[in-house]
Amino acid sequence: MRRRLYAGRDVSRAQSIEELRAIARRRVPNFCFEYVEGGAEEEMTLHRNRDVFSEIAFQPRTLVDVTRRNQRRQLLGQESASPFLIGPTGFSGLLSREGDVSIARAAAAAGIPFVLTNVSTTSLEDVVRRAGGCIWMQVYMYRTRAFVEQIARRAHEAGIGTLVLTTDSALYGKREWDTRNFSGPQNLNWRNKLDVIRHPRWIFDILYPRGFPHFANLGDLLGPGQTSVRGAASSILGQSLDPSLSWTDVEWLRGIWPGKLIIKGIMNAQDAARAISVGADGIVLSNHGGRQLDGALSAMDVLPEVVAEVKGRIAVMLDGGFRRGSDVVKAVALGADAVLLGRATTYGLAAGGQAGVERAIEIMRSEIDRVLGLLGCGDIGQLDQSYLRKV
């Protein structure tokens, strides 16, 4: 019943990520949508993440047989059906009931990895058990190192083989678009409370009958009664982050984690090289979706110099602003091993639950396939910078 409620004709007929975004905007309350959309301060970095793609043009080959096209990639020793995976996004449980499970199931069905956020509203064990597929676990470096160690141990015992450490959030960015919706810590103002009433479908899906969802992995960090996504959990989380985070902490995590370790938040070649020296298996170039340091470069801006420094020695991934298959192709041509999708699949989740995420993945895959054919490149592994021109 719930799947039919969301998986309507709007989602199935969406032709682009932008159309899924429009559906999502109608289907969830304003405060939820603005949490997904908002960037830091004047949102210059948020817009830079999209603008950068218009500065790179394709230079296609012609008279090439592209009857067969391949977009499969090897990533950290495993095959992925496409050159992208789904990155960690918080508060998914406010967009669709058990949203983290829905995203994980969609990723598993598509044969791509999914990075489960530490602030999920379903426990990591339940997501692994119910979704299957290739699940990675994201974690912040909290002041309470014992809790970080506990999350790592739980992930390992659940069968998760890859840990993703987010390093660009030692301090919270100033997200004005999001915080203006509240009259106090996570207390909606009257305008947004009235807007919630205008979304009975969302109320039935999210709030009925248990009320606001809770952060399922943070009980030992936040304490009893503090884990509701509506309560003071966000501000407490901000206080729990550690501004003293350094490479020594990464070395400590590497020492206790037996699986693959990814460092997310790298934005220059020197840090990428340092990641190799501390034993990381991969990096994610990221400005946190434009939600942290406003005025920062896009990950696409720094990708070529990072690839020149570390390509072949460590997996190089990136995120930020990817809305089209052509964006992904440009990143791979510049040397990226894979791209992490954030808002693109989150729009799908908000628009139609698991069906919406599946549609977002389908759109991206079909666009990549078409771009490869029109470029005259039958195999994504053959892409290089000769297919691009800076404009």
Side-chain angles (χ1 to χ4, degrees), residues 41-121:
E41 299 178 6
E42 296 183 20
E43 300 183 336
M44 292 184 291
T45 300
L46 183 72
H47 296 298
R48 176 64 186 164
N49 284 350
R50 285 300 299 146
D51 294 342
V52 68
F53 294 106
S54 65
E55 300 169 7
I56 305 171
F58 288 119
Q59 189 168 17
R61 314 280 171 82
T62 192
L63 298 175
V64 178
D65 184 354
V66 289
T67 304
R68 296 181 178 179
R69 298 173 299 281
N70 172 53
Q71 60 178 273
R72 305 186 78 86
R73 299 282 281 174
Q74 288 292 320
L75 185 62
L76 297 179
Q78 294 184 318
E79 187 174 74
S80 176
S82 294
F84 60 83
L85 57 151
I86 301 180
T89 52
F91 292 79
S92 295
L94 274 180
L95 303 176
S96 177
R97 180 171 296 200
E98 296 187 313
D100 302 292
V101 176
S102 296
I103 300 174
R105 285 175 171 169
I112 61 175
F114 163 57
V115 187
L116 176 65
T117 175
N118 190 199
V119 293
S120 64
T121 53

Side-chain angles (χ1 to χ4, degrees), residues 17 20 24 36 84-89 92 95 99 103 106-107 112 114 322-323 340-362 364:
I17 299 300
L20 287 175
V36 174
F84 60 83
L85 57 151
I86 301 180
T89 52
S92 295
L95 303 176
I103 300 174
I112 61 175
F114 163 57
F322 289 88
R323 303 289 189 275
L340 278 69
L341 301 181
R343 289 183 177 93
T345 44
T346 300
Y347 292 145
L349 180 70
Q354 182 177 335
V357 181
E358 290 171 349
R359 182 57 183 153
I361 293 172
E362 182 182 4
M364 296 296 287

Side-chain angles (χ1 to χ4, degrees), residues 60 163 328:
L163 200 65
V328 176

